[in-house]
Amino acid sequence: MSQDDDALPPPSKRRTRTVKVNINDPTLLNFYPRLWRGALDYVKGLFRLYQVTDNPFPDANEAVTGICWELLDEAMMHFRNQKRQIEEGYWPEYQDSMARVVWKDIHTFRSEVRKTVAGIVVSEYKLFPPPLAQSQQERLTAVRAMSTPLAYKFRFLQGEVDNNIGI
C-alpha cells in the first residue's frame, strides 16, 4: 500500500447545517413529547378549520385566550374519550404556551393558502398579459390594470367572477 491509499479524503467545502432546537421553550412544538406534539397538530388542524369557516383574521389576544383554549379543551376531551394516554405534567400547566403554539401556526397556514390562491386567482380572473405586450414593463402594466379593480376592497374574495368587476 502506498501512502496515497491511506490518505483521508479532502474535507468537504460545504458547511454542515446546525439546527437550533430550543427544547426549553414551551411555545415551540419541539418542547413537548411525541404524543403531545400529535395532539397539538390535531388542534392546529381544528384552528385552521375555524379560520376557514368562522374567522379568517382572529385577533391574537382574543384567539389565544379564547378559541385556542377551547380547541385545546376539545382535543383533551377527544383524547380522553378515546382512552388515549398523553404524558402527564403538561396539562394544564402549559395550557397558555400550548395555545401560543397553536396560534403561531396561523402564519404557516396563511402562507399555504396564499400560495394556493395566487394561482387560482390568476387563472380564474384571466390575469395574463396580452400577447402584444413585448417588454416586461408592458406586461406588468397590463396585469396591474386588470388586477387593480379586483384588489379594491378585496373584491376577488367576495364571491364568484362576475361582470360587475369591470374586467
Side-chain angles (χ1 to χ4, degrees), residues 109-127:
F109 181 56
R110 286 180 181 167
S111 291
E112 291 170 4
V113 169
R114 194 175 296 122
K115 287 177 198 172
T116 302
V117 168
I120 294 169
V121 168
V122 168
S123 175
E124 285 293 313
Y125 289 97
K126 298 171 182 58
L127 297 176

Side-chain angles (χ1 to χ4, degrees), residues 109-166:
F109 181 56
R110 286 180 181 167
S111 291
E112 291 170 4
V113 169
R114 194 175 296 122
K115 287 177 198 172
T116 302
V117 168
I120 294 169
V121 168
V122 168
S123 175
E124 285 293 313
Y125 289 97
K126 298 171 182 58
L127 297 176
F128 304 107
L132 298 177
Q134 304 234 338
S135 70
Q136 179 68 19
Q137 186 61 40
E138 288 175 343
R139 290 189 288 275
L140 185 61
T141 302
V143 171
R144 277 192 182 145
M146 290 185 278
S147 63
T148 299
L150 293 170
Y152 179 71
K153 294 188 179 181
F154 298 98
R155 284 190 176 152
F156 69 96
L157 292 175
Q158 298 174 12
E160 295 183 26
V161 180
D162 59 30
N163 295 329
N164 296 330
I165 294 179

Side-chain angles (χ1 to χ4, degrees), residues 52-100:
V52 170
T53 59
D54 293 319
N55 185 356
F57 303 103
D59 175 73
N61 292 328
E62 290 176 15
V64 168
T65 58
I67 188 66
C68 291
W69 278 13
E70 290 173 29
L71 295 174
L72 283 164
D73 285 336
E74 182 180 323
M76 290 300 297
M77 292 299 290
H78 174 74
F79 279 81
R80 285 186 186 129
N81 289 341
Q82 291 191 343
K83 308 275 192 249
R84 289 190 174 175
Q85 297 290 325
I86 297 181
E87 294 91 350
E88 296 290 326
Y90 291 90
W91 186 264
E93 181 180 349
Y94 292 108
Q95 182 177 4
D96 290 338
S97 298
M98 289 179 187
R100 295 230 174 260

